[in-house]
Amino acid sequence: MDINIKNTRKSLLRYIWEDTEEINDILYLCAFRYFAARRDYEQMLNVLLNYPLMLPEDISEFLLHTLDETELPEAIEEDERGCLSLMKDSFAPRFLIDVGRYEDAEMRALAALSHHRDSNAPFASLVLLSCYNNLAYVKMHSALKTHTYDFSRYAKAAADIVAKTRAPIALPESLSYAGVRSFACFVGVGAESGEFEQFLCEIGLLVECMSQMFPGQYAGYDDLCACEIAFYRFKKADAKNCAVRAIEKAADANQYETGARAIFYMLRIAVMEGTYELAENMFGKLSEVTEKPAYIYGRTAYDFVSAYFFSLLSIKALIPPRFLLFPDIVIADTNIPTAEYMTNIRCLLASKKYSDALAALHLYNTIGDSGRFLLDELTRMIFYAVAHYGLGNKKEALAYFESAYEHSQNGELIMPFIEFGRSTRGLVKLALEYPGGAIPRDWLTHLDVHASAYAKKVALIAAGFRRKYGIEDEIRLSEREIQLLGDIYQGLSRQEIAATRYLSINTIKTELKNLYAKLDVNSAVEAVRIANELDLL
């Protein structure tokens, strides 16, 4: 298999979105190919042990093909046989997982289990350990479609192998921390009530098994999952307690991605609380975690978390510029993590680039049918609703808003609705205008109250960060718009404003619509409040 090294480099750079990450990707690929040609299996294994996981599809395909075409010679030393078997039976399934071929990965792992289960070779137990762990990983991913949560049994089988050797395994630094580059909870679309609890129970067992095999790996991951569920259910205290535990455990065990993702939720919790000090403190912790030399994706993680956070606050000046551009990266080709891609769309919505957001959402639909996270699909439907509402497509906005409710487990997963604040209030108003709609009216009223309160807390947190970084407010009002604000503040009706200003009522309606759009509000009361906060009156 020939591979264009220049295009491969371009692919990986697309994957990490910028060429500042210090990953010698081409050296790894060339070295692996070189050692394969020389049949230096030990060095091939060393390359794989130091190669970052979660790679673009073309690179994973390249490594997989190189392994498959590397044949086992008849005359070979036992150590070399062990290295090659470990690569073919342990790493090949991981590359199949990277390209979304879960069934092939499972079949390959099961075949390796059958081949090595009764073997007395010195490397057999290590191969079996890898196979069981691969099966646990495959089953966790496939749960998105099967809704069957039994992956811990494979981790238990792997832990039993380690128990027999009476020695936990020390992993290479590149493989020593769990990857959390999407949602933590592998619960898929169509999940019934109670499936999140099933997943939590299973992930707790998996973390326990992992701690027996690889001390520290997955530390805090179960708490992160519990935090994620509590956060989406708007259970602030539970989410905060779980996030704190996840951050502490991850820090003690150098689980960088678990820690970074827990900090991500703590930042969002800070906005829920309206606590600027907590948000500022969490940013300091985020810098500490993502600047660790061993954290390969540290820079990317920092940009992703900060981009999402400042998109919540609508402070475009603090959003990394690449997240404000249309994502011309095809996720299916580059294996961009779901959360990062969706963050890009979130930033486009925050910048009111609604057409670009819709185009990016359509591009996101090109992902293969390997199962979708329920939380991802819920968020995606809300994004569609907000984008269509911003473009004035009321019918489409309402349809996606109702679809989002369908994915929210009867409104229990309410937080992603609340996080859109004033935009959500507009969607609520739209839904209430249609009697007999799919969304219960009492839930809409409940949502409206929380979205209104959340919008005020966003303004409070945003004001703190604007002061810290010396960022001026971007709102610029014309003289007539300032006059209109004054009239609204005095309590004048539209008819009274029209008579006072010698303008037609239609002109006043148009001017008010433009004013509300600039202030990102939906009513006169909100316009006055925002104007007061920004000292525009």
Side-chain angles (χ1 to χ4, degrees), residues 57 122 134 158 268 338 356 386 419 435:
E57 287 192 9
N134 283 334
R268 296 165 76 177
T338 297
D356 282 351
V386 171
E419 279 192 310

Side-chain angles (χ1 to χ4, degrees), residues 224-238:
L224 173 63
C225 292
C227 165
E228 186 170 86
I229 296 169
F231 177 83
Y232 274 82
R233 289 174 173 169
F234 195 47
K235 295 182 177 181
K236 180 171 59 179
D238 291 344

Side-chain angles (χ1 to χ4, degrees), residues 26-50 62-63 66-67 69-71 73 80 83-84 87:
I26 300 305
L27 292 178
Y28 278 122
L29 291 174
C30 291
F32 190 73
R33 190 68 170 175
Y34 172 76
F35 291 130
R38 293 175 60 87
R39 296 185 177 181
D40 191 335
Y41 307 121
E42 182 177 353
Q43 289 300 331
M44 289 175 67
L45 182 59
N46 284 334
V47 171
L48 292 181
L49 288 174
N50 288 281
F62 168 73
L63 294 172
T66 302
L67 277 179
E69 70 177 7
T70 303
E71 298 180 356
E80 293 179 320
C83 286
L84 188 55
M87 286 187 290

Side-chain angles (χ1 to χ4, degrees), residues 13-240:
L13 293 182
R14 287 205 315 272
Y15 169 58
I16 59 176
W17 291 30
E18 54 184 30
D19 57 7
T20 56
E21 301 283 357
E22 296 180 359
I23 300 177
N24 295 320
D25 48 295
I26 300 305
L27 292 178
Y28 278 122
L29 291 174
C30 291
F32 190 73
R33 190 68 170 175
Y34 172 76
F35 291 130
R38 293 175 60 87
R39 296 185 177 181
D40 191 335
Y41 307 121
E42 182 177 353
Q43 289 300 331
M44 289 175 67
L45 182 59
N46 284 334
V47 171
L48 292 181
L49 288 174
N50 288 281
Y51 208 97
L53 299 178
M54 295 186 67
L55 298 169
E57 287 192 9
D58 57 351
I59 293 180
S60 295
E61 290 278 11
F62 168 73
L63 294 172
L64 178 65
H65 186 86
T66 302
L67 277 179
D68 285 344
E69 70 177 7
T70 303
E71 298 180 356
L72 188 67
E74 294 183 5
I76 186 173
E77 296 291 333
E78 192 65 25
D79 288 346
E80 293 179 320
R81 183 184 299 275
C83 286
L84 188 55
S85 293
L86 187 60
M87 286 187 290
K88 283 180 170 289
D89 296 329
S90 301
F91 280 91
R94 294 298 295 267
F95 295 137
L96 287 168
I97 292 170
D98 280 345
V99 298
R101 293 165 56 185
Y102 298 111
E103 292 183 1
D104 290 343
E106 182 178 1
M107 291 176 59
R108 193 145 179 171
L110 288 172
L113 277 178
S114 177
H115 180 72
H116 294 285
R117 186 175 283 120
D118 299 322
S119 173
N120 294 320
F123 57 83
S125 60
L126 189 56
V127 173
L128 289 174
L129 173 68
S130 299
C131 289
Y132 280 124
N133 282 329
N134 283 334
L135 285 169
Y137 192 68
V138 168
K139 287 297 186 181
M140 188 163 68
H141 277 77
S142 62
L144 292 171
K145 295 184 70 174
T146 65
H147 302 284
T148 300
Y149 307 96
D150 62 352
F151 46 84
S152 70
R153 63 191 176 102
Y154 291 108
K156 176 65 167 60
D160 289 343
I161 293 175
V162 173
K164 290 178 182 178
T165 65
R166 299 179 182 178
I169 298 172
L171 290 171
E173 193 170 49
S174 62
L175 305 178
S176 63
Y177 55 88
V180 192
R181 310 212 63 214
S182 193
F183 291 95
C185 296
F186 286 76
V187 177
V189 173
E192 297 179 357
S193 178
E195 285 194 33
F196 278 106
E197 281 68 30
Q198 292 179 44
F199 176 83
L200 274 183
C201 180
E202 196 69 10
I203 204 67
L205 295 173
L206 181 137
V207 170
E208 182 181 349
C209 292
M210 285 295 181
S211 68
Q212 297 171 24
M213 292 183 282
F214 314 112
Q217 192 179 47
Y218 279 88
Y221 189 85
D222 47 350
D223 292 302
L224 173 63
C225 292
C227 165
E228 186 170 86
I229 296 169
F231 177 83
Y232 274 82
R233 289 174 173 169
F234 195 47
K235 295 182 177 181
K236 180 171 59 179
D238 291 344
K240 188 173 184 179

Side-chain angles (χ1 to χ4, degrees), residues 248-318:
E248 291 174 350
K249 292 178 182 178
D252 290 341
N254 295 328
Q255 295 299 295
Y256 308 119
E257 293 208 340
T258 298
R261 187 52 59 94
I263 291 170
F264 170 59
Y265 281 112
M266 279 294 283
L267 282 166
R268 296 165 76 177
I269 291 167
V271 182
M272 291 170 69
E273 294 182 343
T275 311
Y276 171 76
E277 293 76 13
L278 176 60
E280 189 175 34
N281 177 260
M282 284 299 107
F283 255 106
K285 287 187 176 296
L286 180 66
S287 295
E288 290 177 13
V289 171
T290 55
E291 289 174 3
K292 299 289 186 182
Y295 188 8
I296 296 173
Y297 302 112
R299 171 65 182 276
T300 301
Y302 183 89
D303 284 354
F304 146 63
V305 173
S306 60
Y308 198 100
F309 179 73
F310 288 120
S311 74
L312 292 176
L313 305 184
S314 296
I315 305 179
K316 290 189 290 185
L318 296 179

